Amino acid sequence: VELKTTTCQTDEATVIKTIASRLRRAWTGLRTSTAHRLTALLILGVVLAASNMVFFRSVLNDIQDMAGTISTAGKLRLLSQKIELDLLELETNPAGSSAAVLNGVTEFNAVIDALADGGVVLGAAVRPVPVRNQMALADVRSRWIEYRDKIIIALQNAGQAPVDRVMDPTELRH
């Protein structure tokens, strides 16, 4: 029985020596491996930082572009109110000119076209409305065409034939 214990003790001692030897080799190898690992981590960190900068720059550009589109869409409401005020002014002063109304109509047309197709209007870069919103924009456009036609008819009935100088869309105010 003692012989077996001695053999087991010898086996345990051999295992411990083997483990210690492997740990020494691993530790020695770990020093060079650590330098490589740190270098790889540094390179990975630089690549991640650069990709984050590119990503966030593109996100900021998208936000700025979308802000121009939203601002321009909001101007449609103001333009429609301006057109209505110009019409009221023309009704109270029949000797006036319909140019302001027609210029408002031109501006509104330019803005709605920019929302549909993209471009620069009223001093802002406008991205086309996303596909999911194109139907709503088409509805706004159809209602605008009905309203615009009523404006033209009202001007003709008031003796203000819409032949006055109409502003070129490139001259739109900002």
Side-chain angles (χ1 to χ4, degrees), residues 75 107 120-124 167 169-174:
K75 289 180 182 179
E107 287 182 51
V120 177
V121 68
L122 300 174
M167 185 184 299
T170 59
E171 300 174 7
L172 296 178
R173 65 178 155 255
H174 300 259

Side-chain angles (χ1 to χ4, degrees), residues 56-72 119 123-127:
F56 284 116
R57 178 169 284 162
S58 71
V59 167
L60 286 175
N61 287 339
D62 285 346
I63 289 172
Q64 289 173 344
D65 288 347
M66 189 57 72
T69 302
I70 292 169
S71 175
T72 303
V126 178
R127 291 170 60 183

Side-chain angles (χ1 to χ4, degrees), residues 21 58 123 149:
S21 170
S58 71
D149 292 345

